[in-house]
Amino acid sequence: MFEKIPSLKDFIIYVTPGILICYFGLDIFSYYKSSGIKTDDISTNNTLSFIGILLSFVVGFIMSQVQIIIFNKMKKEKLKKLRTINETQKDNLELKKCLIEMIKSIFEIDGKDIEKDDLIIFYCLNFIKAKANEESQIFIDRCNNLSSLAVSSVLPLTLAIWDLNLKIGFTKSTTFGITIIALVFLIPIVTRIAINFRDDYYKNIFRQFIVLNKATNS
């Protein structure tokens, strides 16, 4: 039951951002306070290192979830549109027609326009989870995990920029200004990356659904 805890997903999405947040956060705190525990003190002490990893997981989990929740709220309508058949299959009308026929046949949906229904994709996702092997599910989840990683990277990157400016020797006001300017460019880039991965995730769900259905009927 516990052999996959923590999983690779946990490590990538929570532990890695958590370690970066704690590292840069502690470095910045030590710079302003000029006292307390420094990052070098933790790396040279096994007990503090172990506690630091556990704390990093907790911090990473909380802060990553906060960022993901904010992202999902801000892009709610965009994400709803992305996961519809109309949007995922807009470049392939033949595949779109085939997909609609399969969905209506398998889930016995009659007389309903499903092309703009953003909930239909979850029918297909549950079908995949029941029919696909573990490798296929990992492949599909990969894009969703990378999307979450992109979203959860905003805070660590911001702290990294802040910490770098302090190490260079900029004043507090200059550091603050550079960090704000960096955020102006960083947030749209990260958002675009996260949406692109989420788009691939939704497309892969429908593709895998079609493959599984054809394999079952062949």
Side-chain angles (χ1 to χ4, degrees), residues 141-204:
D141 288 338
R142 178 177 176 273
C143 286
N144 191 39
N145 294 338
L146 289 173
S147 176
S148 297
L149 176 61
V151 174
S152 61
S153 69
V154 173
L155 182 56
L157 289 174
T158 302
L159 292 176
I161 293 168
W162 189 352
D163 189 47
L164 178 62
N165 279 282
L166 292 177
K167 280 183 166 57
I168 292 173
F170 290 137
T171 63
K172 292 180 181 180
S173 57
T174 302
T175 297
F176 180 78
I178 292 175
T179 304
I180 294 299
I181 292 172
L183 273 175
V184 171
F185 290 96
L186 179 64
I187 291 176
I189 292 172
V190 169
T191 300
R192 184 69 262 172
I193 292 171
I195 287 177
N196 285 345
F197 276 122
R198 196 70 69 90
D199 184 39
D200 286 341
Y201 171 61
Y202 296 145
K203 287 177 180 176
N204 286 338

Coordinates of all heavy atoms in Angstrom, one line a residue, residues 141-204:
D141 N -1.2 10.9 -17.6 CA -1.1 11.8 -16.4 C 0.2 12.7 -16.5 O 0.2 13.7 -15.8 CB -1.0 11.0 -15.2 CG -2.3 10.4 -14.8 OD1 -3.4 10.9 -15.3 OD2 -2.4 9.4 -14.1
R142 N 1.2 12.3 -17.3 CA 2.4 13.0 -17.4 C 2.2 14.5 -17.8 O 2.7 15.4 -17.1 CB 3.3 12.4 -18.4 CG 4.7 13.1 -18.6 CD 5.5 12.4 -19.6 NE 6.8 13.1 -19.9 CZ 6.9 14.1 -20.8 NH1 5.8 14.4 -21.6 NH2 8.0 14.7 -21.0
C143 N 1.4 14.8 -18.8 CA 1.1 16.2 -19.2 C 0.4 16.9 -18.1 O 0.7 18.1 -17.9 CB 0.3 16.2 -20.5 SG 1.2 15.7 -21.9
N144 N -0.5 16.3 -17.4 CA -1.2 17.0 -16.3 C -0.3 17.3 -15.2 O -0.3 18.4 -14.6 CB -2.4 16.1 -15.8 CG -3.3 16.8 -14.8 OD1 -3.6 18.0 -15.0 ND2 -3.7 16.1 -13.8
N145 N 0.6 16.4 -14.9 CA 1.6 16.6 -13.8 C 2.6 17.7 -14.2 O 2.9 18.6 -13.3 CB 2.4 15.3 -13.5 CG 1.6 14.2 -13.0 OD1 0.5 14.5 -12.4 ND2 2.0 13.0 -13.1
L146 N 3.0 17.8 -15.5 CA 3.9 18.8 -15.9 C 3.2 20.2 -15.9 O 3.8 21.2 -15.6 CB 4.4 18.5 -17.3 CG 5.4 17.4 -17.4 CD1 5.7 17.1 -18.9 CD2 6.7 17.7 -16.7
S147 N 1.9 20.2 -16.2 CA 1.1 21.4 -16.1 C 1.1 21.9 -14.6 O 1.3 23.1 -14.4 CB -0.3 21.2 -16.6 OG -1.1 22.3 -16.4
S148 N 0.9 21.0 -13.7 CA 0.8 21.4 -12.3 C 2.2 21.9 -11.8 O 2.3 22.8 -11.0 CB 0.4 20.2 -11.4 OG -0.9 19.8 -11.7
L149 N 3.3 21.2 -12.3 CA 4.6 21.6 -12.0 C 4.9 23.0 -12.5 O 5.5 23.8 -11.7 CB 5.6 20.7 -12.6 CG 7.1 21.0 -12.4 CD1 7.5 21.1 -10.9 CD2 8.0 20.0 -13.1
A150 N 4.5 23.3 -13.7 CA 4.7 24.7 -14.2 C 4.0 25.7 -13.3 O 4.6 26.8 -13.0 CB 4.1 24.8 -15.6
V151 N 2.8 25.4 -12.9 CA 2.0 26.4 -12.1 C 2.7 26.6 -10.7 O 2.8 27.7 -10.2 CB 0.6 25.9 -11.9 CG1 -0.2 26.8 -10.9 CG2 -0.2 25.9 -13.2
S152 N 3.2 25.4 -10.2 CA 3.8 25.5 -8.8 C 5.2 26.0 -8.8 O 5.8 26.2 -7.8 CB 3.7 24.1 -8.2 OG 4.5 23.2 -8.9
S153 N 5.7 26.4 -10.0 CA 7.1 26.9 -10.1 C 7.2 28.4 -9.9 O 8.3 29.0 -9.8 CB 7.7 26.5 -11.4 OG 7.1 27.2 -12.5
V154 N 6.0 29.1 -9.9 CA 6.0 30.6 -9.9 C 6.7 31.1 -8.6 O 7.6 31.9 -8.7 CB 4.6 31.1 -10.0 CG1 4.6 32.6 -9.8 CG2 4.0 30.8 -11.4
L155 N 6.3 30.6 -7.5 CA 6.8 31.1 -6.2 C 8.3 30.7 -6.0 O 9.1 31.6 -5.7 CB 6.0 30.5 -5.0 CG 6.5 31.0 -3.6 CD1 6.5 32.5 -3.5 CD2 5.6 30.4 -2.5
P156 N 8.7 29.5 -6.3 CA 10.2 29.2 -6.2 C 11.0 30.1 -7.1 O 12.1 30.5 -6.7 CB 10.3 27.7 -6.6 CG 9.0 27.1 -6.3 CD 8.0 28.2 -6.6
L157 N 10.6 30.3 -8.4 CA 11.3 31.1 -9.3 C 11.4 32.6 -8.8 O 12.4 33.3 -9.0 CB 10.7 31.1 -10.7 CG 10.9 29.7 -11.5 CD1 10.1 29.7 -12.7 CD2 12.3 29.5 -11.7
T158 N 10.3 33.1 -8.3 CA 10.2 34.4 -7.7 C 11.2 34.6 -6.6 O 12.0 35.6 -6.5 CB 8.8 34.8 -7.2 OG1 7.9 34.6 -8.3 CG2 8.8 36.2 -6.7
L159 N 11.2 33.6 -5.7 CA 12.2 33.7 -4.6 C 13.6 33.5 -5.1 O 14.5 34.2 -4.5 CB 11.9 32.6 -3.6 CG 10.6 32.7 -2.8 CD1 10.3 31.5 -1.9 CD2 10.6 33.9 -1.9
A160 N 13.8 32.7 -6.1 CA 15.2 32.6 -6.7 C 15.7 33.9 -7.3 O 16.9 34.3 -7.1 CB 15.2 31.5 -7.8
I161 N 14.8 34.6 -8.0 CA 15.2 35.9 -8.5 C 15.5 36.9 -7.4 O 16.5 37.7 -7.5 CB 14.0 36.4 -9.4 CG1 13.9 35.5 -10.7 CG2 14.3 37.9 -9.9 CD1 12.6 35.8 -11.5
W162 N 14.7 36.9 -6.4 CA 14.8 37.8 -5.3 C 16.2 37.5 -4.6 O 17.0 38.4 -4.3 CB 13.7 37.6 -4.3 CG 13.6 38.5 -3.1 CD1 14.5 39.5 -2.8 CD2 12.5 38.6 -2.2 NE1 14.1 40.2 -1.7 CE2 12.9 39.7 -1.3 CE3 11.4 37.9 -2.0 CZ2 12.1 40.0 -0.2 CZ3 10.5 38.3 -0.9 CH2 10.9 39.3 -0.1
D163 N 16.4 36.2 -4.3 CA 17.7 35.8 -3.6 C 18.9 36.2 -4.5 O 19.9 36.6 -4.0 CB 17.6 34.3 -3.4 CG 18.8 33.9 -2.5 OD1 19.1 34.5 -1.5 OD2 19.4 32.8 -2.8
L164 N 18.8 36.0 -5.8 CA 19.9 36.3 -6.7 C 20.3 37.8 -6.7 O 21.4 38.1 -6.6 CB 19.6 35.8 -8.1 CG 20.7 36.1 -9.2 CD1 22.0 35.4 -8.9 CD2 20.1 35.7 -10.6
N165 N 19.2 38.6 -6.6 CA 19.5 40.0 -6.6 C 20.1 40.5 -5.3 O 21.0 41.4 -5.3 CB 18.1 40.8 -6.7 CG 17.7 40.9 -8.2 OD1 18.1 41.7 -8.9 ND2 16.7 40.0 -8.6
L166 N 19.8 39.8 -4.2 CA 20.4 40.1 -2.9 C 21.9 39.7 -2.9 O 22.7 40.4 -2.4 CB 19.7 39.4 -1.8 CG 18.3 39.9 -1.5 CD1 17.6 39.0 -0.4 CD2 18.3 41.3 -1.0
K167 N 22.2 38.6 -3.5 CA 23.5 38.1 -3.6 C 24.4 39.0 -4.5 O 25.6 39.2 -4.3 CB 23.6 36.7 -4.1 CG 23.3 35.6 -3.0 CD 23.4 34.2 -3.6 CE 23.4 33.2 -2.5 NZ 22.2 33.2 -1.6
I168 N 23.8 39.5 -5.5 CA 24.5 40.5 -6.4 C 24.9 41.7 -5.7 O 25.9 42.4 -5.9 CB 23.7 40.8 -7.7 CG1 23.6 39.5 -8.6 CG2 24.3 41.9 -8.5 CD1 22.7 39.7 -9.7
G169 N 24.0 42.1 -4.7 CA 24.3 43.3 -3.9 C 23.4 44.5 -4.2 O 23.7 45.6 -3.8
F170 N 22.3 44.3 -4.9 CA 21.3 45.3 -5.2 C 20.7 45.8 -3.9 O 20.5 45.1 -2.9 CB 20.3 44.9 -6.2 CG 20.8 44.7 -7.6 CD1 20.4 43.6 -8.3 CD2 21.7 45.5 -8.2 CE1 20.9 43.3 -9.6 CE2 22.2 45.3 -9.4 CZ 21.8 44.2 -10.2
T171 N 20.2 47.1 -3.9 CA 19.5 47.6 -2.8 C 18.1 46.9 -2.6 O 17.7 46.3 -3.6 CB 19.3 49.1 -2.9 OG1 18.5 49.4 -4.0 CG2 20.7 49.8 -3.0
K172 N 17.5 47.1 -1.5 CA 16.2 46.5 -1.3 C 15.1 47.0 -2.3 O 14.3 46.2 -2.8 CB 15.7 46.8 0.1 CG 16.5 46.2 1.2 CD 16.0 46.6 2.6 CE 16.8 45.9 3.7 NZ 16.3 46.3 5.1
S173 N 15.2 48.3 -2.6 CA 14.2 48.9 -3.5 C 14.4 48.4 -4.9 O 13.5 48.0 -5.7 CB 14.2 50.4 -3.5 OG 15.6 50.8 -3.8
T174 N 15.7 48.3 -5.3 CA 16.1 47.7 -6.7 C 15.7 46.3 -6.8 O 15.1 45.8 -7.8 CB 17.6 47.9 -6.9 OG1 17.9 49.3 -6.8 CG2 17.9 47.4 -8.3
T175 N 16.0 45.5 -5.7 CA 15.6 44.1 -5.7 C 14.1 43.9 -5.8 O 13.6 43.0 -6.6 CB 16.1 43.4 -4.4 OG1 17.5 43.5 -4.3 CG2 15.6 42.0 -4.3
F176 N 13.3 44.7 -5.1 CA 11.9 44.6 -5.2 C 11.4 44.9 -6.6 O 10.5 44.2 -7.1 CB 11.3 45.6 -4.2 CG 9.8 45.6 -4.1 CD1 9.1 44.6 -3.5 CD2 9.1 46.6 -4.8 CE1 7.7 44.5 -3.5 CE2 7.7 46.6 -4.8 CZ 7.0 45.6 -4.2
G177 N 11.9 46.0 -7.2 CA 11.5 46.4 -8.5 C 11.8 45.3 -9.6 O 11.0 45.0 -10.4
I178 N 13.0 44.8 -9.5 CA 13.4 43.7 -10.5 C 12.5 42.5 -10.3 O 12.1 41.9 -11.3 CB 14.9 43.4 -10.3 CG1 15.8 44.5 -10.7 CG2 15.3 42.1 -11.1 CD1 17.3 44.3 -10.4
T179 N 12.2 42.1 -9.1 CA 11.4 41.0 -8.8 C 10.0 41.2 -9.4 O 9.4 40.3 -10.0 CB 11.3 40.7 -7.3 OG1 12.6 40.5 -6.8 CG2 10.5 39.4 -7.0
I180 N 9.4 42.4 -9.2 CA 8.1 42.7 -9.7 C 8.1 42.6 -11.3 O 7.2 42.0 -11.9 CB 7.6 44.1 -9.3 CG1 7.4 44.1 -7.7 CG2 6.3 44.5 -10.0 CD1 6.3 43.1 -7.3
I181 N 9.1 43.2 -11.9 CA 9.3 43.2 -13.3 C 9.4 41.8 -13.8 O 8.8 41.4 -14.8 CB 10.5 44.0 -13.8 CG1 10.2 45.5 -13.5 CG2 10.7 43.9 -15.3 CD1 11.4 46.4 -13.7
A182 N 10.2 41.0 -13.1 CA 10.4 39.6 -13.5 C 9.0 38.8 -13.5 O 8.7 38.0 -14.3 CB 11.4 38.9 -12.6
L183 N 8.2 39.1 -12.4 CA 6.9 38.5 -12.3 C 6.0 38.8 -13.5 O 5.2 38.0 -13.9 CB 6.3 38.9 -11.0 CG 6.6 38.0 -9.8 CD1 6.0 38.7 -8.5 CD2 6.1 36.6 -9.9
V184 N 6.1 40.1 -13.9 CA 5.2 40.5 -15.1 C 5.5 39.6 -16.3 O 4.6 39.3 -17.0 CB 5.5 42.0 -15.4 CG1 4.8 42.4 -16.7 CG2 5.0 42.9 -14.2
F185 N 6.7 39.3 -16.5 CA 7.1 38.4 -17.6 C 6.9 36.9 -17.3 O 6.5 36.1 -18.2 CB 8.5 38.7 -18.1 CG 8.7 40.0 -18.7 CD1 9.2 41.1 -18.0 CD2 8.5 40.2 -20.0 CE1 9.4 42.3 -18.6 CE2 8.7 41.4 -20.7 CZ 9.1 42.5 -19.9
L186 N 7.2 36.6 -16.1 CA 7.2 35.2 -15.6 C 5.8 34.6 -15.6 O 5.6 33.4 -16.2 CB 7.8 35.0 -14.3 CG 7.9 33.6 -13.7 CD1 8.8 32.7 -14.5 CD2 8.4 33.7 -12.2
I187 N 4.8 35.3 -15.1 CA 3.5 34.7 -14.9 C 2.8 34.3 -16.3 O 2.3 33.2 -16.4 CB 2.6 35.6 -14.1 CG1 3.1 35.7 -12.6 CG2 1.1 35.2 -14.2 CD1 2.3 36.6 -11.7
P188 N 2.8 35.2 -17.3 CA 2.3 34.9 -18.6 C 3.0 33.7 -19.2 O 2.3 32.8 -19.8 CB 2.4 36.1 -19.4 CG 2.6 37.2 -18.5 CD 3.3 36.7 -17.3
I189 N 4.3 33.6 -19.1 CA 5.0 32.5 -19.7 C 4.7 31.2 -19.0 O 4.4 30.2 -19.7 CB 6.6 32.7 -19.6 CG1 7.0 33.9 -20.4 CG2 7.3 31.5 -20.0 CD1 8.4 34.4 -20.2
V190 N 4.7 31.2 -17.7 CA 4.3 30.0 -16.9 C 2.9 29.5 -17.2 O 2.6 28.4 -17.4 CB 4.5 30.2 -15.4 CG1 3.9 29.0 -14.6 CG2 6.0 30.3 -15.1
T191 N 2.0 30.5 -17.3 CA 0.6 30.2 -17.6 C 0.4 29.6 -19.0 O -0.3 28.6 -19.1 CB -0.3 31.5 -17.6 OG1 -0.2 32.1 -16.2 CG2 -1.7 31.3 -17.9
R192 N 1.1 30.1 -20.0 CA 1.1 29.6 -21.3 C 1.6 28.1 -21.3 O 1.0 27.2 -22.0 CB 1.9 30.4 -22.2 CG 1.9 30.0 -23.7 CD 0.6 30.3 -24.3 NE -0.3 29.1 -24.4 CZ -1.5 29.1 -24.7 NH1 -2.2 30.2 -25.0 NH2 -2.2 28.0 -24.8
I193 N 2.7 27.9 -20.6 CA 3.3 26.5 -20.5 C 2.3 25.6 -19.9 O 2.0 24.4 -20.4 CB 4.6 26.5 -19.8 CG1 5.7 27.3 -20.5 CG2 5.1 25.1 -19.5 CD1 6.9 27.5 -19.8
A194 N 1.7 26.0 -18.8 CA 0.7 25.2 -18.0 C -0.5 24.8 -18.9 O -1.0 23.7 -18.9 CB 0.3 25.9 -16.8
I195 N -1.0 25.8 -19.6 CA -2.2 25.6 -20.5 C -1.8 24.7 -21.6 O -2.6 23.8 -22.0 CB -2.7 26.9 -21.0 CG1 -3.4 27.7 -19.9 CG2 -3.7 26.7 -22.2 CD1 -3.9 29.1 -20.3
N196 N -0.6 24.8 -22.2 CA -0.2 23.9 -23.3 C -0.2 22.5 -22.8 O -0.6 21.5 -23.6 CB 1.1 24.3 -23.8 CG 1.1 25.6 -24.7 OD1 0.0 26.0 -25.1 ND2 2.2 26.2 -24.9
F197 N 0.4 22.2 -21.7 CA 0.4 20.9 -21.1 C -0.9 20.3 -20.8 O -1.2 19.2 -21.0 CB 1.3 20.8 -19.9 CG 2.8 20.7 -20.2 CD1 3.7 21.6 -19.7 CD2 3.3 19.6 -20.9 CE1 5.1 21.5 -20.0 CE2 4.6 19.5 -21.2 CZ 5.5 20.4 -20.7
R198 N -1.8 21.2 -20.3 CA -3.2 20.8 -20.0 C -3.9 20.4 -21.2 O -4.7 19.5 -21.3 CB -3.9 21.9 -19.2 CG -5.2 21.5 -18.5 CD -4.9 20.6 -17.3 NE -4.2 21.3 -16.2 CZ -4.9 21.9 -15.2 NH1 -6.2 21.9 -15.2 NH2 -4.2 22.5 -14.3
D199 N -3.7 21.2 -22.3 CA -4.3 21.0 -23.6 C -3.9 19.6 -24.1 O -4.7 18.8 -24.6 CB -3.9 22.1 -24.6 CG -4.6 21.9 -25.9 OD1 -5.8 21.5 -26.0 OD2 -3.9 22.2 -26.9
D200 N -2.6 19.3 -24.0 CA -2.1 18.0 -24.4 C -2.7 16.8 -23.6 O -3.0 15.7 -24.1 CB -0.6 17.9 -24.3 CG 0.1 18.7 -25.4 OD1 -0.6 18.9 -26.5 OD2 1.3 19.0 -25.3
Y201 N -2.9 17.1 -22.3 CA -3.5 16.1 -21.4 C -4.9 15.8 -21.8 O -5.3 14.6 -21.9 CB -3.5 16.7 -20.0 CG -4.3 15.9 -19.0 CD1 -4.0 14.6 -18.7 CD2 -5.4 16.5 -18.3 CE1 -4.7 13.9 -17.7 CE2 -6.1 15.7 -17.3 CZ -5.7 14.4 -17.1 OH -6.4 13.7 -16.1
Y202 N -5.7 16.8 -22.1 CA -7.1 16.5 -22.6 C -7.1 15.8 -23.9 O -7.9 14.9 -24.1 CB -7.9 17.9 -22.7 CG -8.0 18.6 -21.4 CD1 -8.0 20.0 -21.3 CD2 -8.2 17.9 -20.2 CE1 -8.1 20.7 -20.1 CE2 -8.3 18.6 -19.0 CZ -8.3 20.0 -19.0 OH -8.5 20.7 -17.8
K203 N -6.3 16.2 -24.8 CA -6.2 15.5 -26.1 C -5.8 14.1 -26.0 O -6.4 13.2 -26.7 CB -5.2 16.3 -27.0 CG -5.7 17.6 -27.5 CD -4.7 18.3 -28.4 CE -5.2 19.7 -28.9 NZ -4.2 20.4 -29.6
N204 N -4.9 13.8 -25.1 CA -4.4 12.4 -24.9 C -5.5 11.5 -24.3 O -5.5 10.3 -24.6 CB -3.2 12.4 -24.0 CG -1.9 12.9 -24.7 OD1 -1.8 12.9 -25.9 ND2 -0.9 13.3 -24.0

